[in-house]
Amino acid sequence: MRNKVLSGLALLGAVTLGLSACGSDGGDDVAAGSGGGGGGDDVITVGFAQTGSESGWRSANTESMKEAFSEENGFELVFNAADNDPAAQIAAVRSFINQGVDAIVIAPIVEDGWDDVLQEAQDADIPVILEDRTVTASEDLYATWVGLDFKLEGQKAGEWAAENFTEPTTMVVLEGTTGSAPANDRAEGFDAAIEGTPIEKIDSQTGDFTRDGGKSVMEGFLQKYGVDGIDLVYAHNDDMGLGAIEAIEAAGAVPGEDIKIITIDAVRDGMQALVDGKINYIVECNPLLGEKAAELVKAVLDGEEVDKRTIVEDQAFDQAAAEEALPDRKY
Ligand code: GYE
């Protein structure tokens, strides 16, 4: 720890968190031997409150964060994955505050509800750095954010749809986690881009960014509207699109042909499905944010001025572009 000595009480908090947060995804681990009582070293202790492990994107993001916040890079990472439970994620942040970590990094599951705990971190003089998703709380309550332009991602997906579907088209939407920034913004960007086109959104439900969720919501849509009643699926991430593929195939139809699919993320499995013709278009969302997040944590702790927002750029892929990009894909 940089400035603070981990007290016995705080250590107890860390252990309690480790036990109580041991969720079904087994993604939690509490840093051992956090220099308790020693102090004086330059190791930066960072508590990272991850959403969970819902998708391929998330796995790549967690890996990128663990790599960047490594011991070799001068960090001690206290990692928590909240299994997509907003209350559990806030509890994890509170525990980081009690432990007296040097900085807290959060990938906020939902946008709302952060004011109190961010205020508590500020009162404890612990800077908060957001990565990936945004919050609705005042900017004054966190130091900086690094992430993606979700609205632009939705817009790019919608523009492709608008260009390619010029006849009356029925569309269903597989939404991301309700209340999350990417679900809200990807819907907004897409809807604006298809306004005035013959694409009609006949239904929209959350599949929680998971493959299983996408599959079961799609099964429901297929039961309700039939294979012939759906022309297009817009999935807020690859995993839900991959689940939809399973549901469409199980219903005896051909994904990518009978029912077209647009997704967001461009993780390897999604890109493979695009190459195979089962997905028709993917807008990228870059999960490799660890290095930038670590750089920002160091800068903030060193008292440097940092931009309030850092946006990482995304690309978009059709089948030919996916074929070219797939061999070198890092995630
Ligand atoms: O698109 C999805 C993940 O917040 C950008 O979360 C992220 C989203 C990503 O579960 O796959």
Side-chain angles (χ1 to χ4, degrees):
M1 285 225 162
R2 250 186 170 187
N3 311 312
K4 302 174 185 93
V5 174
L6 198 66
S7 71
L9 198 65
L11 250 180
L12 198 67
V15 171
T16 315
L17 174 73
L19 290 177
S20 62
C22 234
S24 51
D25 65 357
D28 311 293
D29 80 71
V30 171
S34 349
D41 56 49
D42 273 345
V43 173
I44 302 170
T45 304
V46 171
F48 174 36
Q50 179 61 292
T51 59
S53 53
E54 70 277 3
S55 66
W57 189 99
R58 191 59 56 194
S59 310
N61 179 249
T62 293
E63 208 178 297
S64 163
M65 294 292 285
K66 285 188 171 171
E67 228 173 87
F69 288 91
S70 65
E71 264 176 46
E72 303 86 76
N73 293 343
F75 292 99
E76 173 157 4
L77 187 64
V78 189
F79 179 79
N80 179 273
D83 207 11
N84 276 302
D85 174 353
Q89 190 175 40
I90 287 174
V93 172
R94 253 189 204 120
S95 168
F96 294 152
I97 298 171
N98 290 335
Q99 290 170 58
V101 297
D102 296 316
I104 295 173
V105 180
I106 309 172
I109 298 168
V110 288
E111 287 190 281
D112 292 342
W114 286 99
D115 302 67
D116 290 352
V117 76
L118 291 180
Q119 186 63 58
E120 286 161 35
Q122 195 165 75
D123 293 345
D125 261 339
I126 302 174
V128 170
I129 287 82
L130 303 179
E131 75 109 21
D132 166 22
R133 301 181 185 177
T134 47
V135 295
T136 50
S138 160
E139 276 195 359
D140 300 340
L141 291 175
Y142 55 88
T144 182
W145 164 77
V146 56
L148 305 307
D149 188 338
F150 303 131
K151 198 169 156 195
L152 182 62
E153 291 169 353
Q155 184 190 319
K156 285 186 192 171
E159 281 167 357
W160 189 84
E163 263 166 49
N164 287 276
F165 296 87
T166 50
E167 301 291 318
T169 300
T170 50
M171 175 182 75
V172 293
V173 179
L174 302 172
E175 302 163 17
T177 300
T178 304
S180 71
N184 292 339
D185 296 353
R186 286 171 183 172
E188 201 185 319
F190 191 98
D191 287 351
I194 62 158
E195 222 182 85
T197 71
I199 301 169
E200 187 200 348
K201 180 162 56 172
I202 56 169
D203 219 327
S204 182
Q205 266 178 50
T206 183
D208 229 355
F209 280 131
T210 66
R211 211 172 279 212
D212 284 355
K215 186 178 176 193
S216 66
V217 172
M218 191 65 205
E219 281 167 356
F221 286 157
L222 286 163
Q223 257 163 30
K224 199 163 162 194
Y225 303 103
V227 167
D228 294 334
I230 303 169
D231 301 317
L232 174 65
V233 177
Y234 168 39
H236 286 178
N237 80 343
D238 286 353
D239 280 86
M240 292 190 294
L242 292 162
I245 288 175
E246 289 177 33
I248 293 167
E249 283 174 342
V254 183
E257 285 183 29
D258 298 332
I259 297 178
K260 305 280 199 292
I261 304 177
I262 302 175
T263 66
I264 296 179
D265 273 357
V267 295
R268 207 178 278 115
D269 287 357
M271 292 287 270
Q272 185 60 57
L274 177 55
V275 168
D276 296 342
K278 296 182 176 188
I279 290 179
N280 304 85
Y281 194 66
I282 303 186
V283 177
E284 182 182 49
C285 179
N286 192 336
L288 306 181
L289 306 176
E291 213 174 295
K292 188 68 202 177
E295 194 186 303
L296 285 168
V297 165
K298 281 193 173 158
V300 168
L301 288 172
D302 286 344
E304 288 169 26
E305 280 277 319
V306 294
D307 290 337
K308 207 78 209 191
R309 296 155 58 83
T310 305
I311 294 181
V312 175
E313 272 196 39
D314 296 315
Q315 309 174 53
F317 301 92
D318 59 13
Q319 194 177 30
E323 253 160 37
E324 210 178 303
L326 191 57
D328 301 322
R329 205 78 190 140
K330 290 195 183 65
Y331 49 90

